[in-house]
Amino acid sequence: MIFEKFKSEQYKIFLQNQKLTIALVAMVIANLILGVYILAFATNSRTVFLPSFNATQEFWVSGREVSASYLEQIARYISDVLWNVHLDNIKNVKPAILPLVPSDRRNEVDRAITQQLSYISDNAITRMFQPITIDYGERNVIYIRGLLKEMTGDIVALSKTTTLRIQYKIDNGRFWLLGVAEVERKNQ
């Protein structure tokens, strides 16, 4: 009788052990599958920079390619931040542009922006830029042609049509600003 009771208890423990083993194996398999999904989503993540103003057009981003509407909005944003400058918004230029610049070019861009902003503040200039055309046909370059005015008080010190050249790269859906310069273009 004691032996039969012992065998019965041993059999119950064996069945419980089997159930726990099956549950453990199922949980390990589920964790492995979830891990694979997490790794797949982590490598496909995209950091898409959106301008701080409202997006006015639909756009798409895929790997190293972006839509023309995205490039147009980014070009307007960069030209607005860099060339629509007055004494009241001068402190907002660097925080708006430096997040777009890769770390290997950040010091160079920071110095150029500081030099531009000190010129504007030293001479009490208000600079305004109105885009006329945006050309993004050349790979990794955007040209923005527009009217640039510099004013000191109520006096227009400079008024000219000029072109802003923006060099960029797209890496895993992320926009990186590589360079900005005022250029002369023959075929505008």
Short mmCIF file of all heavy atoms in Angstrom, two decimals, residues 76 129-134 144-148 160-162:
data_model
loop_
_atom_site.label_atom_id
_atom_site.label_comp_id
_atom_site.label_asym_id
_atom_site.label_seq_id
_atom_site.Cartn_x
_atom_site.Cartn_y
_atom_site.Cartn_z
N ARG A 76 13.38 74.59 -48.07
CA ARG A 76 12.71 75.80 -47.57
C ARG A 76 13.05 76.03 -46.10
O ARG A 76 13.27 77.16 -45.68
CB ARG A 76 11.20 75.70 -47.76
CG ARG A 76 10.77 75.86 -49.19
CD ARG A 76 9.26 75.86 -49.31
NE ARG A 76 8.84 75.87 -50.68
CZ ARG A 76 8.72 76.97 -51.42
NH1 ARG A 76 8.98 78.14 -50.89
NH2 ARG A 76 8.34 76.90 -52.67
N PHE A 129 14.97 86.34 -47.04
CA PHE A 129 15.12 85.56 -48.26
C PHE A 129 13.76 85.02 -48.68
O PHE A 129 13.06 84.41 -47.88
CB PHE A 129 16.10 84.41 -48.06
CG PHE A 129 16.33 83.58 -49.28
CD1 PHE A 129 17.06 84.07 -50.35
CD2 PHE A 129 15.83 82.30 -49.38
CE1 PHE A 129 17.28 83.30 -51.49
CE2 PHE A 129 16.04 81.52 -50.50
CZ PHE A 129 16.77 82.03 -51.56
N GLN A 130 13.41 85.27 -49.93
CA GLN A 130 12.16 84.76 -50.48
C GLN A 130 12.47 83.80 -51.62
O GLN A 130 12.94 84.21 -52.68
CB GLN A 130 11.29 85.92 -51.01
CG GLN A 130 9.98 85.49 -51.60
CD GLN A 130 9.10 84.78 -50.59
OE1 GLN A 130 8.97 85.19 -49.46
NE2 GLN A 130 8.49 83.69 -51.01
N PRO A 131 12.24 82.48 -51.43
CA PRO A 131 12.54 81.51 -52.50
C PRO A 131 11.66 81.73 -53.73
O PRO A 131 10.47 82.03 -53.60
CB PRO A 131 12.22 80.17 -51.86
CG PRO A 131 12.14 80.41 -50.40
CD PRO A 131 11.76 81.84 -50.22
N ILE A 132 12.28 81.57 -54.89
CA ILE A 132 11.55 81.67 -56.15
C ILE A 132 11.43 80.28 -56.78
O ILE A 132 10.34 79.84 -57.11
CB ILE A 132 12.24 82.65 -57.12
CG1 ILE A 132 12.27 84.05 -56.50
CG2 ILE A 132 11.54 82.66 -58.47
CD1 ILE A 132 13.14 85.03 -57.26
N THR A 133 12.57 79.60 -56.94
CA THR A 133 12.56 78.25 -57.50
C THR A 133 13.45 77.34 -56.67
O THR A 133 14.42 77.78 -56.06
CB THR A 133 13.08 78.23 -58.96
OG1 THR A 133 14.42 78.71 -58.98
CG2 THR A 133 12.22 79.06 -59.88
N ILE A 134 13.10 76.06 -56.70
CA ILE A 134 13.90 75.04 -56.03
C ILE A 134 14.21 73.97 -57.06
O ILE A 134 13.30 73.41 -57.69
CB ILE A 134 13.15 74.45 -54.83
CG1 ILE A 134 12.86 75.55 -53.80
CG2 ILE A 134 13.95 73.32 -54.19
CD1 ILE A 134 12.04 75.10 -52.63
N ILE A 144 18.40 76.59 -54.41
CA ILE A 144 17.24 77.44 -54.14
C ILE A 144 17.57 78.83 -54.66
O ILE A 144 18.50 79.48 -54.17
CB ILE A 144 16.93 77.54 -52.64
CG1 ILE A 144 16.80 76.17 -52.03
CG2 ILE A 144 15.67 78.35 -52.41
CD1 ILE A 144 16.72 76.21 -50.53
N ARG A 145 16.85 79.26 -55.67
CA ARG A 145 17.04 80.59 -56.21
C ARG A 145 15.97 81.49 -55.60
O ARG A 145 14.81 81.11 -55.50
CB ARG A 145 16.91 80.58 -57.73
CG ARG A 145 17.38 81.84 -58.38
CD ARG A 145 17.42 81.66 -59.89
NE ARG A 145 16.91 82.87 -60.49
CZ ARG A 145 15.67 83.05 -60.92
NH1 ARG A 145 14.81 82.07 -60.87
NH2 ARG A 145 15.30 84.19 -61.43
N GLY A 146 16.39 82.68 -55.16
CA GLY A 146 15.43 83.57 -54.55
C GLY A 146 15.97 84.98 -54.39
O GLY A 146 17.09 85.29 -54.77
N LEU A 147 15.14 85.82 -53.82
CA LEU A 147 15.48 87.21 -53.60
C LEU A 147 16.00 87.39 -52.18
O LEU A 147 15.32 87.05 -51.22
CB LEU A 147 14.23 88.09 -53.82
CG LEU A 147 14.41 89.58 -53.63
CD1 LEU A 147 15.39 90.14 -54.66
CD2 LEU A 147 13.06 90.28 -53.73
N LEU A 148 17.21 87.92 -52.07
CA LEU A 148 17.85 88.16 -50.78
C LEU A 148 17.92 89.66 -50.54
O LEU A 148 18.37 90.42 -51.39
CB LEU A 148 19.27 87.57 -50.77
CG LEU A 148 20.09 87.80 -49.51
CD1 LEU A 148 19.48 87.06 -48.32
CD2 LEU A 148 21.53 87.36 -49.72
N LYS A 160 19.22 91.45 -54.02
CA LYS A 160 19.71 90.73 -55.20
C LYS A 160 19.05 89.37 -55.30
O LYS A 160 18.56 88.80 -54.33
CB LYS A 160 21.23 90.57 -55.14
CG LYS A 160 21.72 89.64 -54.04
CD LYS A 160 23.22 89.48 -54.10
CE LYS A 160 23.71 88.51 -53.02
NZ LYS A 160 25.14 88.26 -53.10
N THR A 161 19.05 88.85 -56.51
CA THR A 161 18.60 87.49 -56.75
C THR A 161 19.84 86.61 -56.67
O THR A 161 20.84 86.87 -57.32
CB THR A 161 17.94 87.35 -58.13
OG1 THR A 161 16.85 88.25 -58.19
CG2 THR A 161 17.45 85.94 -58.36
N THR A 162 19.75 85.58 -55.84
CA THR A 162 20.91 84.73 -55.61
C THR A 162 20.47 83.27 -55.50
O THR A 162 19.27 82.98 -55.47
CB THR A 162 21.68 85.16 -54.35
OG1 THR A 162 22.90 84.42 -54.27
CG2 THR A 162 20.85 84.93 -53.10
#
